[in-house]
Amino acid sequence: MSKDKAEVESALLRALQDAGIDSQSFASDRGFDHDVVVNVIKSLHSTGVDMVDYSEEASVHYSLTEAGREVLERGSPEAQVRESVPEGEDGVALADAKVGAAGAVWDEGFKFAMQLKWIRLEKGAAPRVRRVEGVAASVDPIRDLVRSVAASVEASTEPAGVSDKDMDVLVKKRKLVQVTKVRKYVATAGPRWALVRQKPATDLSADVLEAVLAGEVRFKEYNFETLGGVFKVGGLHPLLKVRDDFKSVFLGMGFEEMATNKWVESSFWNFDTLFQPQQHPARDAHDTFFLERPETCRSLPADGYLARVKEMHEVGGAGSIGYRYDWSEDEARKNILRTHTTAVSSRMLNRVAREIQSSMAPFKTRRFFSVDRVFRNESVDRTHLAEFHQIEGLVIGMRLTLGDLLGTIREFFAKIGLRQLRFKPTFNPYTEPSMEIFCFHPGLGKWVEIGNSGMFRPEMLGPMGIPKDVQCIAWGLSLERPTMILHGINNIRDLFGHKVDLNLIETNPVSRLLA
Ligand code: FB9
């Protein structure tokens, strides 16, 4: 505490021993800064141990203007005019009086002196001014009330015995006194007043507890209104928050998360196992990022699966006529950045097929999901970059139908509040039937495409060895689109990339899909 503040506090606590104080008088009597006095009063009150009580009052302070000081020094203009008129019948010529001792204040003083009947004017060819003698008690000697009020104001900022009406004239009409509105604090000793500040107890120890029980100390009151500290900490990127929400939805529906840490994938898993022909335009360098190093994948399956995939592409099987072309293993070995997480789904399904074949137990439905980055060598625009996060869900089970796919999709999107859905037939190389998913977005007031879906083809599941009565339904969407809509972001560069506004990443209340 600064010396001034400590001195004020000590003087204040001593003063309160005898009586209450008002901050204005206390400060002016002791030459303290009024703001410091007020701070000390409030600080003692907020110690939480009732040392000092106070109330706040609005009051008015009067002080003399420059003209008021002139009056205090020389008397009011009317008194000066009266004094400038000589005693006796002759008085003085008006013309002489105007330039006499009261010349500087003649106009104002003459008017008031006439009103007070301190002087009288004898008109004529040569007007003269005479004193009025002995007519009223105020006249001889005159009682210069204006000067006496000025003296009262000089003596106290709140002069007693001056009527509001008189003060109003001096303030508004004659501009001899000015008014300052001030707030004053009337302080009194609280129930736990002491000459020295009492610190409330904030720690809990045996000694403190003993002192509290003895009534010597009190615990500091909890302040439930106080705000917690704002800590500048890192924040989750909105995409990751929405990713968490979708993961929660999947986990809540009994889905297991697939491992998605292979961003570099072989064309075999990304395309061939999905029955996507090697001439498909999506496999062209204009749509896919091919790696230079390592250009090819060395570890393709050696358990006959590759041969079955090759056969399915070339001659078909399981009711399919295949694509009737010479399937190239070299093409399949080309390394790429995966273009969809369906490559991950394909690896997982192949593993499930191995489990089915190696287990005698009846097959139980399995549910898997993935959320991770995928890469497309496409032209970028306001809403598309060369990469995005794909969300994919799949269910593999006995005799699943399109109805199961529709129902699962409805259940999934309902959990993020999208219930008004429509399905539109479409084509995917690896699913049949396939459907685009639309929802009517109340916020946007229009139908929005929210994903794609389908039943994996037998040409995909067959070479894996998945039994014919086991089907697999799947759907996918992106992470960026819902996140951009949630944040009202129109340009994906405001969400993802080096131009992102970091404030978006810190505290942003909007960024959850789920309540
Ligand atoms: O996410 C997409 N749209 C979307 C999703 C949610 C959403 O929520 C808002 C709160 C309301 C809003 C919009 N789409 C898919 C549709 C379009 O945005 C589309 O223009 C962009 N698509 C991406 C691919 O485009 C290069 C989104 C991405 C996409 C498309 C298809 C799949 C996954 C992602 C798939 C699949 C699939 C199909 C069958 C079997 C397995 C996977």
Side-chain angles (χ1 to χ4, degrees):
M1 187 183 300
S2 70
K3 177 181 173 303
D4 291 351
K5 206 166 177 183
E7 189 182 345
V8 167
E9 178 167 311
S10 171
L12 184 79
L13 287 170
R14 271 197 314 278
L16 289 177
Q17 190 170 14
D18 305 324
I21 60 106
D22 90 71
S23 57
Q24 291 288 352
S25 310
F26 179 78
S28 59
D29 295 349
R30 288 168 169 75
F32 289 142
D33 179 306
H34 181 253
D35 289 343
V36 174
V37 172
V38 173
N39 284 341
V40 166
I41 290 172
K42 289 183 174 179
S43 168
L44 286 169
H45 177 73
S46 65
T47 51
V49 289
D50 293 342
M51 284 192 71
V52 169
D53 291 331
Y54 73 89
S55 61
E56 194 175 338
E57 293 178 9
S59 67
V60 171
H61 271 191
Y62 297 99
S63 57
L64 294 177
T65 62
E66 194 47 45
R69 291 192 184 294
E70 286 286 316
V71 166
L72 190 60
E73 191 178 332
R74 297 192 172 83
S76 65
E78 54 271 32
Q80 291 181 56
V81 163
R82 154 88 184 190
E83 289 309 310
S84 73
V85 174
E87 293 182 50
E89 278 305 308
D90 280 354
V92 65
L94 178 60
D96 295 344
K98 278 185 175 182
V99 294
V105 292
W106 180 268
D107 293 344
E108 183 185 3
F110 177 74
K111 178 179 72 173
F112 286 113
M114 290 290 282
Q115 283 174 4
L116 289 165
K117 297 186 176 17
W118 287 355
I119 58 173
R120 68 171 185 271
L121 176 63
E122 288 183 5
K123 295 180 180 174
R128 296 185 71 77
V129 181
R130 289 186 169 77
R131 279 193 185 193
V132 173
E133 304 289 354
V135 175
S138 70
V139 174
D140 194 11
I142 60 161
R143 285 171 42 225
D144 187 351
L145 292 180
V146 171
R147 190 178 202 176
S148 58
V149 169
S152 304
V153 170
E154 180 66 2
S156 162
T157 55
E158 296 178 47
V162 181
S163 72
D164 291 349
K165 181 169 173 289
D166 288 345
M167 191 60 90
D168 208 37
V169 167
L170 297 188
V171 171
K172 291 178 180 169
K173 287 209 172 80
R174 304 196 64 174
K175 312 286 185 208
L176 301 177
V177 173
Q178 60 198 0
V179 178
T180 313
K181 288 182 180 168
V182 293
R183 305 192 76 74
K184 71 178 178 182
Y185 295 78
V186 178
T188 54
R192 310 220 39 93
W193 168 87
L195 277 173
V196 180
R197 175 187 286 262
Q198 302 290 308
K199 285 192 182 308
T202 53
D203 301 325
L204 184 57
S205 68
D207 297 346
V208 166
L209 204 51
E210 195 176 326
V212 167
L213 294 174
E216 294 155 9
V217 173
R218 290 178 68 178
F219 280 118
K220 183 176 174 60
E221 298 291 327
Y222 274 110
N223 174 4
F224 293 104
E225 303 307 316
T226 186
L227 294 175
V230 178
F231 299 98
K232 295 289 280 180
V233 291
L236 273 177
H237 191 285
L239 277 175
L240 300 184
K241 290 181 185 174
V242 175
R243 183 183 69 175
D244 282 355
D245 288 342
F246 278 112
K247 284 188 176 183
S248 302
V249 168
F250 276 119
L251 294 172
M253 291 173 67
F255 282 65
E256 302 168 58
E257 185 166 13
M258 293 184 272
T260 57
N261 55 338
K262 284 173 73 69
W263 291 5
V264 172
E265 186 54 274
S266 65
S267 298
F268 178 75
W269 285 109
N270 197 82
F271 296 120
D272 295 289
T273 63
L274 302 179
F275 194 54
Q276 192 146 353
Q278 293 183 337
Q279 306 82 351
H280 192 285
R283 298 183 65 157
D284 184 276
H286 293 299
D287 286 51
T288 299
F289 289 109
F290 287 84
L291 267 68
E292 286 179 6
R293 282 188 308 280
E295 187 176 2
T296 58
C297 168
R298 290 191 303 278
S299 59
L300 292 184
D303 57 356
Y305 177 44
L306 185 142
R308 293 193 296 275
V309 169
K310 173 182 171 69
E311 184 182 7
M312 186 57 80
H313 281 248
E314 290 186 339
V315 299
S320 167
I321 61 170
Y323 289 118
R324 315 270 173 99
Y325 71 96
D326 291 336
W327 183 83
S328 156
E329 186 174 330
D330 291 344
E331 185 61 34
R333 286 188 180 278
K334 285 180 181 176
N335 279 332
I336 65 168
L337 290 181
R338 67 180 175 214
T339 62
H340 48 199
T341 49
T342 319
V344 178
S345 304
S346 181
R347 282 179 176 268
M348 176 53 74
L349 289 170
N350 187 50
R351 203 179 87 186
V352 170
R354 302 282 75 71
E355 289 169 6
I356 294 173
Q357 282 154 11
S358 62
S359 163
M360 298 307 286
F363 176 66
K364 286 193 296 184
T365 300
R366 302 285 297 277
R367 298 170 179 81
F368 298 99
F369 76 92
S370 62
V371 184
D372 209 331
R373 291 165 88 159
V374 296
F375 308 87
R376 307 261 174 112
N377 188 5
E378 291 171 340
S379 56
V380 297
D381 62 21
R382 197 170 45 78
T383 58
H384 290 85
L385 293 173
E387 60 183 280
F388 66 93
H389 291 75
Q390 180 172 339
I391 299 168
E392 183 159 331
L394 70 89
V395 180
I396 176 168
M398 302 284 282
R399 293 177 291 282
L400 290 181
T401 66
L402 188 63
D404 295 303
L405 177 58
L406 293 167
T408 305
I409 290 172
R410 286 189 184 282
E411 182 188 354
F412 174 79
F413 281 106
K415 291 192 184 288
I416 61 168
L418 304 181
R419 290 181 174 79
Q420 197 176 351
L421 303 188
R422 278 181 180 167
F423 297 89
K424 178 183 168 191
T426 187
F427 173 77
N428 292 326
Y430 40 86
T431 54
E432 185 58 35
S434 306
M435 302 173 297
E436 285 173 340
I437 311 162
F438 291 82
C439 88
F440 186 78
H441 190 281
L444 301 175
K446 63 180 182 178
W447 286 93
V448 174
E449 183 186 352
I450 59 172
N452 193 306
S453 64
M455 300 188 72
F456 283 127
R457 299 177 61 149
E459 292 91 336
M460 173 182 166
L461 303 181
M464 293 178 182
I466 301 277
K468 285 191 176 28
D469 58 351
V470 173
Q471 299 297 330
C472 187
I473 59 176
W475 74 99
L477 63 152
S478 75
L479 189 60
E480 283 75 7
R481 293 298 295 141
T483 306
M484 287 172 74
I485 289 175
L486 196 65
H487 283 264
I489 291 174
N490 297 321
N491 189 322
I492 193 152
R493 285 160 191 74
D494 296 333
L495 178 69
F496 192 71
H498 64 289
K499 291 185 177 175
V500 168
D501 172 2
L502 289 181
N503 290 321
L504 172 75
I505 292 185
E506 284 181 356
T507 50
N508 188 315
V510 169
S511 56
R512 285 283 178 184
L513 263 180
L514 303 175

